Amino acid sequence: GAGVSQTPSNKVTEKGKYVELRCDPISGHTALYWYRQSLGQGPEFLIYFQGTGAADDSGLPNDRFFAVRPEGSVSTLKIQRTERGDSAVYLCASSLNSGGGTGELFFGEGSRLTVL
Amino acid sequence: AQSVAQPEDQVNVAEGNPLTVKCTYSVSGNPYLFWYVQYPNRGLQFLLKYITGDNLVKGSYGFEAEFNKSQTSFHLKKPSALVSDSALYFCAVRDGHTDKLIFGTGTRLQVFP
């Protein structure tokens, strides 16, 4: 597609439920990033993939959060046993980076997660 | 670890006046610096970046930014503000050792007619 696509755009769930958020990056982009943005805050880094592997998952807040990118394209962010504090906009971005860090990120419009 | 600071939560400027949005950074190696803009209910859009070379970089929508190594700053500027520039602006930084991009907390720019 022309840009980064994220689904669903909005997700409302109950505390304790399992949630999956999907990201479809720009075709040909090898790097894929997940960020979380709370109201009034800057994007908080969660995890970064280079190809199929997680190159840096140091931002995942705890073991309830997990992300995969099995074929090096689409990625899924998975949140188990959701808590109200997980409510935020989850942003996905992709980049042509092949290492070196000079490429800009292209962001999707985000998935807004609300945990009741 | 790298970090970035945006000391102003909000900047107000009259249309037609010059604007500056401040950013300072901290990295262990050479910095790669970026500015992004976020309009209401939209994703972040890339404005410009500094990787190496000329300290003054030009980007989208007439914005520019000046890299100052001694002051570890990368302030965003525009000579003449437009009402349509009103948005949330984020500074971000990587060092040369990682592809992780770290964002500041953002500055809301309000341009008044």
Side-chain angles (χ1 to χ4, degrees):
Chain A
V4 177
S5 176
Q6 291 189 245
T7 55
S9 54
N10 274 287
K11 177 70 177 179
V12 180
T13 191
E14 294 179 343
K15 181 176 178 295
K17 299 291 188 183
Y18 170 79
V19 165
E20 288 190 354
L21 306 175
R22 175 190 166 104
C23 174
D24 199 343
I26 293 172
S27 178
H29 281 193
T30 57
L32 185 146
Y33 299 74
W34 284 99
Y35 286 82
R36 177 169 68 176
Q37 187 175 23
S38 300
L39 193 62
Q41 301 296 315
E44 172 194 11
F45 172 81
L46 295 177
I47 186 170
Y48 150 65
F49 289 88
Q50 185 63 256
T52 61
D56 187 336
D57 64 357
S58 61
L60 294 177
N62 52 60
D63 61 6
R64 296 187 297 105
F65 287 75
F66 190 70
V68 295
R69 195 185 185 199
E71 297 178 357
S73 178
V74 171
S75 176
T76 304
L77 179 66
K78 307 181 181 194
I79 310 174
Q80 298 178 320
R81 304 184 303 281
T82 52
E83 300 178 356
R84 293 193 180 88
D86 299 335
S87 297
V89 177
Y90 289 81
L91 300 172
C92 178
S94 68
S95 173
L96 274 172
N97 274 357
S98 58
T102 60
E104 61 267 31
L105 274 60
F106 296 83
F107 282 84
E109 298 203 352
S111 292
R112 181 178 299 277
L113 175 65
T114 304
V115 183
L116 300 176
Chain B
Q2 69 262 48
S3 66
V4 60
Q6 294 182 245
E8 303 154 317
D9 289 337
Q10 181 154 332
V11 169
N12 298 318
V13 64
E15 189 174 32
N17 282 2
L19 69 88
T20 299
V21 182
K22 295 180 180 177
C23 172
T24 58
Y25 66 89
S26 174
V27 296
S28 56
N30 291 324
Y32 299 155
L33 295 152
F34 301 77
W35 276 101
Y36 284 80
V37 60
Q38 188 174 38
Y39 296 100
N41 300 313
R42 300 296 302 276
L44 282 87
Q45 297 177 33
F46 169 75
L47 276 180
L48 51 79
K49 66 181 178 182
Y50 171 82
I51 303 300
T52 187
D54 194 346
N55 288 346
L56 184 66
V57 293
K58 295 187 183 295
S60 306
Y61 313 121
F63 284 93
E64 57 190 30
E66 186 167 12
F67 170 64
N68 187 316
K69 187 173 183 178
S70 63
Q71 297 185 4
T72 62
S73 67
F74 189 56
H75 300 330
L76 182 70
K77 301 181 180 185
K78 187 173 182 181
S80 179
L82 299 172
V83 172
S84 58
D85 292 330
S86 299
L88 197 51
Y89 290 81
F90 292 97
C91 183
V93 67
R94 282 193 189 109
D95 64 24
H97 305 294
T98 175
D99 286 325
K100 182 166 68 177
L101 188 63
I102 300 300
F103 284 83
T105 52
T107 299
R108 183 167 301 282
L109 174 66
Q110 189 72 47
V111 181
F112 295 95

